[in-house]
Amino acid sequence: MAEKIDTITVDGLGLANTLRDEMKAEIEALVAAGHRPPQLTVVLVGDDPASKSYIKGKQRACARIGADSAEYLLPESTTEKELLELLAKLNADDAVDGILVQLPLPKHISPEAVAEAIDPAKDADALHPLNFGRLLLGNADLISCTPLGVMAVLERHGVEIAGKDAVVIGRSNIVGKPVSILLQQQNATVTMCHSRTQDLPGVCRRADILVAAAGNPRMVKGDWIKPGAAVMDVGVTEVDGKLVGDVDFEAAQGVAGIITPSRRGIGPMTITMLLRNTLEAYKSRKGLGRA
Ligand code: NAD
């Protein structure tokens, strides 16, 4: 019989708090040296309650590390032209270091046009084509927050990446693609899976590192997981009022080596990486070196 594994559940909130403490100390030192704190501006179009609550979380996180934040809550009727005009104003405002436009946007506004309208140097979510291109070339300063969060969990847990087989389920621009690139840059052999992948369970079983970012609740079963694998569950879907991940968490116990839970897993790390990007943007705009 296969040896039973003591699966480690990642404390994403604890890890996020450690990283936030590090950033707080860094900002305190910058302020003590006479600099102003970094500032993140968040823009929301429409009144989606989930988006409003995400924005509140981001503001609390800024306050926690001593960064400033501002918000623009625009009505659903805002035109693309009006939004782009606001972004041009924020780009030109020296007091703004990071800009984030909360997704999803209303249907009449193109997310691509919005991503391209943000100054790449203030692009806190790293969705501008220039930052995406730099990521591909391996020299990006600003990288999409969730993929950075996944990589930080792997790093802080000492998960070996070089030479390992990594499988990523999902190929979105915000999660699947960038995390695949980052894993490949750290010398993993990466397989990207999507809704047309044949024999997904068989492909997942080869993974030493499995990143699930499909948005399909509990799709990854216990017998899809290679014993001892690092399982990064990015997916979050509301099912019967509860947030559920892409991995069957209970079934992964005793099989996965480490696993992120759907609550307090990758989520707090994503917000932390938004803070990291804001601090990075601030320091590089002020010529204060890299975060
Ligand atoms: P998306 O819908 O843009 O992309 C989903 C991807 O998964 C697509 O490439 C699709 O081909 C693939 N996919 C869907 N169903 C599949 C299936 N049955 N088999 C194989 N592949 C399948 O989604 P996204 O923006 O990348 O987000 C993915 C999930 O991650 C969502 O649940 C989202 O809520 C969550 N998410 C969480 C965080 C966080 O901070 N925890 C951040 C971003 C996204």
Side-chain angles (χ1 to χ4, degrees):
M1 223 177 91
E3 192 194 334
K4 180 102 168 125
I5 291 169
D6 274 337
T7 303
I8 295 167
T9 298
V10 171
D11 176 8
L13 186 60
L15 194 47
N17 282 334
T18 303
L19 294 170
R20 290 175 198 186
D21 285 343
E22 290 169 12
M23 285 188 269
K24 184 170 184 270
E26 194 174 351
I27 292 171
E28 275 167 5
L30 287 164
V31 171
H35 301 285
R36 67 161 173 82
Q39 199 258 29
L40 172 70
T41 294
V42 182
V43 181
L44 172 67
V45 186
D47 49 15
D48 175 47
S51 292
K52 277 192 169 162
S53 128
Y54 292 147
I55 286 190
K56 286 276 160 279
K58 285 165 186 169
Q59 285 178 321
R60 272 198 305 273
C62 281
R64 157 95 166 65
I65 64 161
D68 289 336
S69 64
E71 63 175 20
Y72 286 80
L73 302 178
L74 308 179
E76 178 90 18
S77 58
T78 304
T79 63
E80 185 176 293
K81 185 166 173 281
E82 285 166 339
L83 178 58
L84 298 190
E85 279 167 5
L86 170 63
L87 293 174
K89 203 179 95 188
L90 297 173
N91 287 342
D93 186 345
D94 192 48
V96 176
D97 300 302
I99 303 170
L100 174 94
V101 178
Q102 185 68 45
L103 299 175
L105 285 161
K107 289 207 167 32
H108 62 276
I109 299 179
S110 152
E112 289 80 18
V114 168
E116 292 198 28
I118 295 173
D119 178 350
K122 298 186 176 188
D123 183 19
D125 224 1
L127 292 173
H128 190 286
L130 186 73
N131 285 322
F132 217 89
R134 284 182 177 151
L135 170 67
L136 271 174
L137 295 171
N139 59 10
D141 289 333
L142 301 178
I143 298 171
S144 195
C145 305
T146 304
L148 268 185
V150 169
M151 299 308 288
V153 168
L154 294 172
E155 188 199 328
R156 296 267 165 158
H157 277 270
V159 174
E160 219 180 303
I161 300 176
K164 298 295 177 185
D165 280 318
V167 170
V168 178
I169 311 174
R171 57 177 166 184
S172 70
N173 291 337
I174 198 153
V175 189
K177 275 185 211 165
V179 85
S180 302
I181 294 162
L182 292 170
L183 286 163
Q184 175 261 114
Q185 281 168 355
Q186 292 202 23
N187 302 312
T189 302
V190 183
T191 306
M192 283 179 76
C193 301
H194 43 78
S195 49
R196 306 278 286 273
T197 296
Q198 301 286 307
D199 186 22
L200 185 59
V203 177
C204 288
R205 264 177 225 123
R206 296 203 302 262
D208 301 301
I209 299 165
L210 178 61
V211 181
N216 192 355
R218 297 193 188 97
M219 71 180 286
V220 175
K221 310 298 176 205
D223 64 357
W224 293 25
I225 299 170
K226 181 175 176 177
V231 180
M232 302 289 106
D233 189 359
V234 176
V236 189
T237 311
E238 196 175 321
V239 180
D240 300 330
K242 267 188 73 181
L243 295 180
V244 177
D246 282 356
V247 179
D248 185 336
F249 185 79
E250 279 72 36
Q253 299 302 311
V255 188
I258 72 165
I259 185 167
T260 59
S262 52
R263 276 193 78 245
R264 302 188 164 190
I266 296 297
M269 290 300 288
T270 295
I271 297 187
T272 301
M273 293 303 144
L274 178 68
L275 302 173
R276 177 257 180 215
N277 277 350
T278 303
L279 182 53
E280 177 78 19
Y282 162 86
K283 289 169 70 176
S284 100
R285 292 181 60 247
K286 300 264 167 222
L288 292 166
R290 300 177 60 129

